[in-house]
Amino acid sequence: MSLQAGKPRLKRGVRLTYDHTRDLQVLLYPEGVLVPNPTATAILQLCDGESDVEQITLALSNQYDGVQPQQVVDVLARLADRQVVEWS
């Protein structure tokens, strides 16, 4: 499946949450904690399993200038390599 055609979502057991102690977003998963950068956080917040890359890119374009689908795919591919994102 093409990553651009799929609909990314957080894998089961993975949760994006705000850590008040560290004052930042963290990604909790069964084996640990990942601190995503602001770009990855913005993308992860849109990974609902119902939006595809085009829809995520469009939503991000409403907040940021110059967002390209390939940039979103690249971030999602890295997160999939970390076993925190999957496609439906």
Side-chain angles (χ1 to χ4, degrees):
M1 170 192 318
S2 163
L3 295 184
Q4 290 193 346
K7 297 177 179 179
R9 65 179 177 216
L10 297 180
K11 290 185 83 168
R12 186 175 181 178
V14 178
R15 183 168 51 108
L16 181 66
T17 188
Y18 187 77
D19 183 328
H20 293 280
T21 303
R22 296 180 179 126
D23 193 26
L24 49 76
Q25 294 283 335
V26 294
L27 197 60
L28 304 175
Y29 57 99
E31 296 83 21
V33 177
L34 179 67
V35 180
N37 65 26
T39 302
T41 298
I43 293 170
L44 286 166
Q45 290 172 329
L46 297 169
C47 291
D48 56 8
E50 297 183 15
S51 302
D52 61 20
V53 169
E54 183 178 329
Q55 292 167 317
I56 291 171
T57 301
L58 180 61
L60 291 171
S61 295
N62 292 331
Q63 299 175 11
Y64 307 102
D65 291 331
V67 178
Q68 299 296 316
Q70 189 60 48
Q71 294 170 317
V72 174
V73 168
D74 291 346
V75 170
L76 289 171
R78 287 193 297 272
L79 291 167
D81 288 344
R82 302 286 303 259
Q83 302 292 314
V84 295
V85 171
E86 64 185 7
W87 274 258
S88 57

